[in-house]
Amino acid sequence: MANSTGNAFDFKLFRRLLGYTNPYKWTFYFVAVAAILLSFFAVARPYLLRLTIDDSIIPQDNENLVFYISLMFAALFLEVIFQFLFIYFANWLGQEVIRDLRVNLFKHMLQFKMKYFDQSAVGRLVTRAVSDIETIASIFSEGLFVIASDLLKMLVILIFMFYNSWELTLLVLTVMPFILYATRVFQKKMKIAFEDVRNQVANLNTFVQERITGMKIVQLFTREKVEYENFRNINDKHRKAWVKTVWYNSIFFPIAEMSTSITIGLIVWYGGLRVVDNDAISLGVIIMFIELAQMLFRPLRQIADKFNTLQMGMVAANRVFGILDTEESIADTGTTTVDHLKGEIEFEEVRFGYNEAEEVLKGVSFKAKAGETIAIVGATGAGKSTVINLLNRFYEINSGRILVDGIDIRDITLKSLRAEIAVVLQNVFLFADTIMNNITLHNPGVTEEDVIKAAKEIGVHDFIASLPNAYHYNVKERGVMLSSGQRQLISFLRAYVSNPSILVLDEATSSVDSYSEQLIQDATDKITEGRTSIVIAHRLATIKKADRILVMDAGEIVEMGTHQELLKVQNGYYKNLYEVQFMAEESV
């Protein structure tokens, strides 16, 4: 990742970005050729204007006048055509590059460990994938090629000016060092300013995304006024960052305009004296030099402006490449592809911590035979959900082994491993899409007939059929159009249609109605039938039906056995838990 410094330009980062133009090299070359041609058209018009004045207007030659005016129209027409092609294909190239870059970025983020997302703000990642990459497009549409074209245009103009009058050219160049220095200082200041702007944009996006997502909490705890003030402060920092760029622009551009005016004054003064003395300089040459001087300084002012755009694009590219350079993916080095597992699971002295300072699992060992249902109980923070996360390789274990059918899961390809494990999480996530698409997740191997058949088998078909448009009912963002119990049923059906070898259930019925709870219980019985299941149990019925119960406390398995066996343990952890948590449920 390129460092964010005050340097005016990062060529290493720029070369890396240019690598994305390789698939479109012919378009790149065409835009470059168009830029070269535009630089020659730039000097053609002032030169034709000089000829028109010296060879037609002053000697009053009407025939030559019509001829030169026709040439000027032709040059202008060709310049307009190539300007159009230049702008169109430069923008087209920019959009192609950011499309490829955005796809690469999203693909890269799909491989990240859960730990990366645990530690990264969603709004910041959205900023990188959307607005930052869009800003990169301006490097090609308004930055790189325009700057290159302007620089080439300035070079051609200078050569042409020297060829026609070295004295007038030197007069023009006396002002050039001053404006070049001002431009250099301006570029450095704008680089720092735009870094601050992008930081504040990311902060603003993150804040707004989190507050909109958590609006219910904001309103429940009457935090509207506090969050409003917080937003005003963040928004004010964003404004101040932009005002800094406006301040630099308001200083630079008047200086550039003044430099142009001084240059024109010098040309008129010196050239006018030479014309009066009947020297070699003609009136046409003076007019041409005034035109050329304006054309020379105008790109210089535009280059500074376009460099702002280029700087913003480079800052955005720096941030995007920062994510692309992040190595936070699970190492998919497995060579074994599993098609269908028996479902035997074994944890051997597994140790793990979400951070190095705190170990969550402390040497956990257990074995689940194929077809068994294992219930895991324990207090919050005991490590129950961590067992599920590690089985799916969302995180890498610190030590020990996790075996499936006797194979270390690190030796199995991630895709085939996760294809054999279906998970029903406590907090169900549904996309803003139809129920059908939320169940199949656009898997072409699962048809609508398969989904309806599975829904009937686990007893949720009637509930779905009662909804408007049934299986094609759009549940909106996060499934807000459904109750928590209904969302849970959809997640059970999603797991069931995938026909997994291993099923993991993080049950949650504390916030669902009794009717949904009964449907969930029936669905649980159906989908656990004949397959290995690991259940984080919150209901007594599920625990009692389990073949074995693992009792966890502070990252360790403290007891293991059937429901009846564990109740016989005097002062046992499970017995105490049962008496406190489950006895009332059983009596009901």
Side-chain angles (χ1 to χ4, degrees):
M1 174 178 171
N3 296 324
S4 300
T5 68
N7 294 333
F9 203 73
D10 189 332
F11 285 99
K12 184 178 179 182
L13 180 66
F14 184 64
R15 284 195 301 270
R16 182 176 180 184
L17 188 60
L18 279 184
Y20 281 85
T21 66
N22 288 339
Y24 317 104
K25 59 183 180 181
W26 291 112
T27 302
F28 185 90
Y29 294 152
F30 175 80
V31 174
V33 169
I36 294 171
L37 290 174
L38 284 172
S39 66
F40 285 101
F41 284 129
V43 298
R45 285 186 292 109
Y47 179 67
L48 289 172
L49 180 60
R50 172 203 165 180
L51 294 177
T52 303
I53 293 170
D54 289 344
D55 297 349
S56 301
I57 295 176
I58 292 176
Q60 298 181 351
D61 188 336
N62 292 334
E63 189 176 335
N64 263 351
L65 181 63
V66 172
F67 173 70
Y68 285 130
I69 288 175
S70 299
L71 286 180
M72 279 195 286
F73 270 115
L76 180 62
F77 176 76
L78 288 174
E79 187 176 1
V80 168
I81 293 297
F82 277 96
Q83 188 74 33
F84 162 75
L85 295 173
F86 174 79
I87 293 172
Y88 176 81
F89 284 106
N91 279 273
W92 181 90
L93 182 63
Q95 291 302 317
E96 293 296 309
V97 167
I98 66 165
R99 180 196 62 188
D100 296 346
L101 189 57
R102 186 176 281 130
V103 167
N104 286 348
L105 179 66
F106 189 72
K107 181 181 178 182
H108 190 64
M109 288 196 296
L110 286 175
Q111 313 303 320
F112 282 160
K113 305 173 187 176
M114 288 299 110
K115 183 178 180 180
Y116 180 84
F117 297 105
D118 294 342
Q119 299 173 345
S120 301
V122 174
R124 194 170 294 274
L125 293 178
V126 171
T127 301
R128 300 292 175 269
V130 181
S131 61
D132 276 348
I133 287 188
E134 199 63 44
T135 303
I136 293 173
S138 62
I139 290 178
F140 298 94
S141 60
E142 301 175 37
L144 168 65
F145 291 116
V146 175
I147 290 174
S149 176
D150 285 346
L151 287 174
L152 186 59
K153 189 181 295 183
M154 290 171 65
L155 178 64
V156 172
I157 288 171
L158 278 173
I159 293 172
F160 186 72
M161 289 170 77
F162 266 112
Y163 175 77
N164 282 274
S165 173
W166 64 267
E167 298 112 309
L168 290 178
T169 305
L170 288 178
L171 271 179
V172 172
L173 291 180
T174 55
V175 184
M176 187 71 77
F178 174 72
I179 195 166
L180 285 175
Y181 175 75
T183 302
R184 178 67 174 172
V185 172
F186 178 67
Q187 290 167 354
K188 286 187 175 182
K189 294 294 184 181
M190 290 301 287
K191 171 70 183 293
I192 298 171
F194 280 129
E195 181 75 29
D196 191 25
V197 166
R198 298 313 302 169
N199 276 330
Q200 297 306 326
V201 167
N203 291 338
L204 196 61
N205 285 350
T206 299
F207 184 89
V208 171
Q209 188 271 335
E210 286 183 344
R211 270 53 184 189
I212 290 176
T213 303
M215 189 58 71
K216 184 180 288 186
I217 299 298
V218 171
Q219 294 183 355
L220 278 172
F221 289 90
T222 62
R223 298 282 296 175
E224 294 93 338
K225 185 176 180 180
V226 174
E227 297 302 344
Y228 170 72
E229 290 300 327
N230 288 338
F231 178 79
R232 284 191 61 180
N233 291 334
I234 293 174
N235 195 40
D236 191 53
K237 290 179 181 177
H238 177 260
R239 179 191 63 83
K240 287 178 180 177
W242 270 110
V243 166
K244 192 180 293 184
T245 68
V246 174
W247 168 250
Y248 293 143
N249 276 296
S250 64
I251 293 175
F252 174 77
F253 287 103
I255 290 175
E257 193 66 36
M258 181 182 67
S259 302
T260 305
S261 299
I262 291 172
T263 304
I264 292 173
L266 290 173
I267 292 171
V268 172
W269 168 71
Y270 183 78
L273 290 176
R274 297 289 298 274
V275 170
V276 171
D277 292 339
N278 294 317
D279 210 334
I281 295 177
S282 66
L283 181 61
V285 170
I286 294 175
I287 300 299
M288 181 182 72
F289 262 77
I290 290 173
E291 184 81 9
L292 289 173
Q294 289 178 320
M295 293 176 67
L296 183 66
F297 282 97
R298 189 183 306 124
L300 195 57
R301 294 197 301 272
Q302 289 177 349
I303 283 173
D305 191 27
K306 299 306 178 185
F307 204 90
N308 294 348
T309 302
L310 186 60
Q311 293 286 46
M312 289 191 71
M314 293 298 289
V315 169
N318 185 59
R319 295 178 178 280
V320 170
F321 285 133
I323 296 179
L324 285 171
D325 292 340
T326 301
E327 296 298 333
E328 285 287 348
S329 58
I330 294 289
D332 191 10
T333 55
T335 56
T336 303
T337 302
V338 291
D339 187 17
H340 189 73
L341 297 168
K342 291 185 294 183
E344 186 179 277
I345 302 169
E346 185 172 3
F347 275 56
E348 293 183 351
E349 286 294 320
V350 173
R351 292 184 174 274
F352 170 76
Y354 292 101
N355 55 66
E356 296 179 3
E358 186 178 355
E359 203 170 48
V360 177
L361 295 188
K362 304 169 183 177
V364 169
S365 297
F366 70 89
K367 187 171 183 178
K369 297 177 183 177
E372 272 191 331
T373 296
I374 302 293
I376 305 177
V377 300
T380 301
K384 305 185 297 296
S385 295
T386 302
V387 170
I388 292 175
N389 289 332
L390 296 182
L391 180 62
N392 281 278
R393 286 199 72 197
F394 287 145
Y395 302 87
E396 293 282 23
I397 61 177
N398 296 346
S399 64
R401 292 200 305 167
I402 301 176
L403 307 175
V404 177
D405 285 4
I407 308 170
D408 192 315
I409 60 172
R410 288 171 290 198
D411 296 331
I412 303 174
T413 61
L414 271 176
K415 184 177 180 180
S416 65
L417 172 68
R418 291 175 180 170
E420 293 298 312
I421 304 173
V423 181
V424 178
L425 295 172
Q426 182 174 354
N427 298 314
V428 178
F429 185 91
L430 297 181
F431 295 96
D433 206 336
T434 63
I435 288 178
M436 178 64 63
N437 289 336
N438 268 290
I439 293 168
T440 65
L441 297 178
H442 298 277
N443 182 352
V446 181
T447 65
E448 185 169 346
E449 290 72 22
D450 295 333
V451 173
I452 294 173
K453 180 183 176 184
K456 290 178 178 178
E457 288 176 357
I458 67 171
V460 300
H461 172 71
D462 291 341
F463 135 64
I464 298 175
S466 67
L467 297 171
N469 297 323
Y471 288 86
H472 298 284
Y473 178 64
N474 193 313
V475 300
K476 305 299 181 183
E477 188 175 0
R478 301 175 188 274
V480 294
M481 303 303 291
L482 303 177
S483 69
S484 57
Q486 290 171 331
R487 290 196 296 270
Q488 194 78 353
L489 290 169
I490 297 299
S491 68
F492 271 83
L493 184 54
R494 180 162 61 192
Y496 186 58
V497 297
S498 67
N499 192 27
S501 302
I502 298 170
L503 183 68
V504 177
L505 300 179
D506 188 351
E507 297 178 324
T509 57
S510 58
S511 60
V512 302
D513 58 85
S514 56
Y515 174 72
S516 296
E517 183 172 352
Q518 185 57 52
L519 287 176
I520 290 172
Q521 183 59 57
D522 295 341
T524 301
D525 294 341
K526 180 64 180 178
I527 68 176
T528 57
E529 188 179 299
R531 55 172 56 93
T532 307
S533 303
I534 295 180
V535 183
I536 294 179
H538 298 280
R539 293 194 305 272
L540 179 62
T542 304
I543 296 171
K544 292 175 72 173
K545 289 178 181 179
D547 296 297
R548 263 182 310 147
I549 301 169
L550 307 182
V551 186
M552 296 191 68
D553 182 39
E556 298 179 296
I557 296 177
V558 293
E559 293 173 4
M560 187 184 305
T562 64
H563 173 67
Q564 294 300 329
E565 289 171 349
L566 293 175
L567 285 180
K568 294 176 183 178
V569 179
Q570 293 298 321
N571 296 319
Y573 189 101
Y574 179 79
K575 184 178 181 180
N576 292 334
L577 184 68
Y578 169 75
E579 290 174 350
V580 173
Q581 185 175 339
F582 300 124
M583 224 171 180
E585 183 183 338
E586 190 172 46
S587 63
V588 173

